[in-house]
């Protein structure tokens, strides 16, 4: 009973999907057919009558190629779970000059919208992914489109043959029965050919993947250089404003106490006591500065114990769980530690949270870190913000940061880093 009940469901779902694939596949051929019909109507023997249809074919194919290919990627991911990356190049920013014109990297435009539109079409025209889409549009109607059209065509033949529209006789009934068999038997399978066709013709070539990877690594290198320069400036500022000033004051106090030692011993003793207190304060600041560079507990006991030590010092009531003892490379441990510290600090400073939960688990060759708090939510990644800097720092290791923070909370941040050392 279960199998007999599942077959109609599979046939119905497959028939609907086959119809969707057939319709989407035939959008561009429909433009071709309409252009040919227009040329014939204007006069098939006149060469000039085919000028506009040819333009319509070229423009229509180019304009429809990207939406149709995006639709196929969406359908394949939705139905089969196979992700076919688009790999489209993104247009860069435009800049307004002092003359009032806008520069987009190729030319000057009077308005920002014109500059953006010009840049968008230039990038699209030179994008290899656009030509890959055009190749797919030439292939899919004659592969997945034809196969997916069999169930609806069989149903149409069955209606015509068995409904008496194809005329009386055994031939019409045979055509109707054959069409019904094709529609029912092929419906669960006809749409499945769209996956291999999309993967084969929509997937980026190895050369394109390599070029995109080189561009990504170049951007990551630039971000790392900027982050390192900012970290050096922060250390210099902390040393100059904190420990360095206190050490200078300590030297002056000791020099003054040395001069007052014979004339005013009590005053010299007071200055030496103040100098000792200043030395203790300077030592504390230096320890905090060193802790900000790389906590000693991180080097001695690893990531999990370092995070637990940070959670104990945090004003939040924190729960830290780790599935296994993690063995990571020091740069990855440092990036994850400061990422968790950044998220916890944001929960205290901005979200006004009272509780937090930190989970570190292994998922194959990936490390997944979840940080959740009960704050008021509303966290977002903005340019120049701490979360954007954290995302850039993780991108160096091919890591990702996902933030889910609806208004009213809770906020959940997920860090995923691939680690072969696990």
């Amino acid at each position: 009973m279960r199998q007999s009940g599942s077959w109609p469901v599979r046939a119905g779902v497959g028939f609907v999907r086959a119809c969707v694939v057939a319709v989407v596949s035939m959008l561009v051929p429909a433009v071709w057919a309409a252009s040919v019909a227009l040329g014939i109507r204007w006069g098939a023997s006149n060469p000039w009558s085919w000028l506009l249809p040819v333009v319509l074919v070229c423009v229509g194919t180019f304009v429809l190629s990207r939406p149709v290919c995006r639709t196929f990627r969406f359908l394949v991911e939705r139905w089969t779970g196979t992700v076919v990356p688009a790999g489209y190049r993104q247009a860069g920013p435009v800049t307004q000059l002092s003359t009032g014109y806008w520069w987009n990297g190729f030319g000057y435009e009077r308005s920002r919208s014109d500059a953006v539109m010009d840049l968008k079409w230039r990038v699209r025209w030179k994008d290899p992914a656009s030509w890959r889409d055009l190749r797919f549009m030439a292939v899919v109607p004659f592969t997945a489109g034809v196969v997916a059209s069999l169930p609806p065509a069989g149903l149409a033949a069955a209606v015509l043959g068995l409904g008496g529209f194809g005329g009386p006789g055994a031939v019409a009934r045979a055509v109707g029965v054959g069409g019904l068999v094709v529609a029912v038997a092929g419906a669960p399978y006809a749409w499945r050919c769209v996956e291999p066709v999309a993967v084969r013709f929509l997937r980026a070539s190895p050369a394109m993947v390599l070029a995109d990877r080189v561009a990504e690594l170049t951007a990551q290198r630039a971000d790392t250089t900027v982050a390192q320069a900012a970290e050096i400036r922060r250390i210099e500022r902390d040393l100059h404003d904190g420990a360095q000033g206190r050490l200078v004051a300590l030297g002056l106090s000791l020099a003054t106490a040395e001069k007052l030692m014979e004339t005013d011993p009590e005053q010299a003793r007071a200055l030496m006591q103040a100098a000792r207190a200043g030395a203790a304060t300077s030592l504390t600041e230096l320890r905090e500065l060193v802790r900000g560079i790389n906590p000693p507990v991180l080097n001695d006991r690893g990531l999990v114990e370092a995070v637990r030590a940070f959670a104990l010092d945090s004003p939040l009531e924190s729960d830290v769980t780790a599935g296994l003892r993690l063995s990571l490379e020091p740069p990855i441990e440092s990036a994850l530690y400061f990422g968790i510290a950044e998220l916890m600090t944001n929960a205290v400073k901005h979200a006004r949270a009272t509780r937090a939960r930190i989970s570190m688990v292994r998922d194959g060759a990936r490390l997944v870190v979840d940080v959740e708090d009960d704050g008021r939510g509303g966290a977002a990644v903005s340019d120049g913000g701490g979360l954007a800097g954290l995302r850039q720092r993780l991108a160096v290791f091919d890591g990702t940061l996902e933030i889910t923070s609806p208004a009213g909370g809770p906020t959940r941040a997920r860090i995923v880093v691939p680690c072969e050392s696990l």
Side-chain angles (χ1 to χ4, degrees):
M1 293 296 294
R2 183 176 180 180
Q3 293 181 353
S4 62
S6 63
W7 176 260
V9 174
R10 292 175 57 193
V13 173
F15 182 83
V16 173
R17 292 180 177 180
C19 292
V20 172
V21 172
V23 170
V24 178
S25 301
M26 297 303 172
L27 286 177
V28 172
V31 174
W32 301 343
S35 300
V36 171
L38 183 62
I40 295 175
R41 180 178 178 83
W42 283 356
S45 59
N46 185 6
W48 293 103
S49 65
W50 291 98
L51 181 61
L52 181 59
V54 170
V55 172
L56 290 177
V57 166
C58 297
V59 174
T61 303
F62 188 76
V63 171
L64 288 176
S65 61
R66 184 162 293 188
V68 170
C69 291
R70 283 176 172 169
T71 302
F72 272 109
R73 291 188 182 94
F74 171 78
L75 294 177
V76 170
E77 182 178 0
R78 182 69 179 272
W79 292 344
T80 67
T82 302
V83 179
V84 183
Y88 296 124
R89 293 180 178 176
Q90 301 298 323
V94 297
T95 305
Q96 187 176 19
L97 305 179
S98 59
T99 58
Y101 283 82
W102 290 83
W103 170 254
N104 60 11
F106 297 95
Y108 301 93
E109 300 293 340
R110 292 184 177 272
S111 64
R112 184 180 186 278
S113 59
D114 292 340
V116 171
M117 184 62 65
D118 177 68
L119 178 61
K120 175 183 175 181
W121 284 105
R122 285 178 182 270
V123 171
R124 183 171 178 179
W125 181 258
K126 295 181 179 181
D127 190 355
S130 299
W131 302 104
R132 186 178 68 235
D133 290 350
L134 291 176
R135 181 189 64 178
F136 179 78
M137 297 311 305
V139 171
V140 69
F142 307 103
T143 53
V146 172
V147 176
S149 300
L150 292 178
L155 181 62
V159 171
L160 293 176
L162 299 179
F165 298 99
V171 176
R173 289 193 297 272
V175 171
V177 172
L180 184 61
V181 171
V182 170
V184 175
Y189 311 104
W191 63 273
R192 296 184 181 275
C193 62
V194 70
E195 179 185 4
V197 174
V199 171
R200 170 62 179 84
F201 292 99
L202 282 182
R203 184 176 53 189
S205 64
M208 294 175 61
V209 173
L210 181 60
D212 293 339
R213 182 58 175 167
V214 170
E216 180 182 357
L217 291 176
T218 302
Q220 290 178 1
R221 184 182 61 182
D223 293 338
T224 303
T225 303
V226 173
Q228 288 177 346
E231 188 69 11
I232 292 174
R233 288 194 300 268
R234 182 189 69 82
I235 295 173
E236 292 176 347
R237 183 177 62 251
D238 291 344
L239 285 173
H240 182 272
D241 297 341
Q244 180 179 346
R246 292 186 181 277
L247 291 175
V248 171
L250 174 62
L252 293 175
S253 298
L254 291 176
T256 305
E258 183 180 2
K259 293 179 179 180
L260 295 175
M261 187 67 68
E262 296 181 358
T263 59
D264 191 353
E266 294 298 330
Q267 183 67 23
R269 186 178 297 109
L271 288 175
M272 294 181 68
Q273 290 176 354
R276 184 175 60 183
T281 304
S282 299
L283 181 60
T284 302
E285 290 184 353
L286 288 174
R287 285 175 176 172
E288 292 295 331
L289 180 61
V290 172
R291 187 188 303 272
I293 298 174
N294 205 13
V297 67
L298 184 61
N299 296 328
D300 299 337
R301 305 179 64 181
L303 176 64
V304 177
E305 296 302 325
V307 171
R308 285 174 176 165
F310 180 86
L312 290 176
D313 296 335
S314 174
L316 296 178
E317 184 179 349
S318 305
D319 180 23
V320 180
T321 59
L324 296 172
R325 181 175 178 84
L326 303 175
S327 176
L328 305 174
E329 298 295 332
I332 300 178
E333 282 190 337
S334 178
L336 290 174
Y337 174 82
F338 286 107
I340 295 173
E342 176 76 20
L343 296 172
M344 294 283 286
T345 303
N346 289 344
V348 175
K349 184 177 179 180
H350 302 293
R352 299 177 183 176
T354 59
R355 294 179 58 87
R357 184 183 62 85
I358 304 172
S359 172
M360 292 174 281
V361 297
R362 174 181 176 180
D363 182 13
R366 305 186 308 166
L367 177 63
V368 181
V369 179
D370 288 322
V371 180
E372 185 174 353
D373 64 73
D374 62 349
R376 59 183 179 179
V381 180
S382 58
D383 294 337
L387 294 178
L390 174 57
R391 179 170 288 178
Q392 292 176 356
R393 188 168 187 172
L394 293 172
V396 176
F397 308 100
D398 290 334
T400 59
L401 171 65
E402 298 179 1
I403 301 291
T404 303
S405 182
T411 297
R412 182 178 182 182
R414 167 163 289 191
I415 298 175
V416 180
V417 178
C419 300
E420 293 296 337
S421 59
L422 287 172

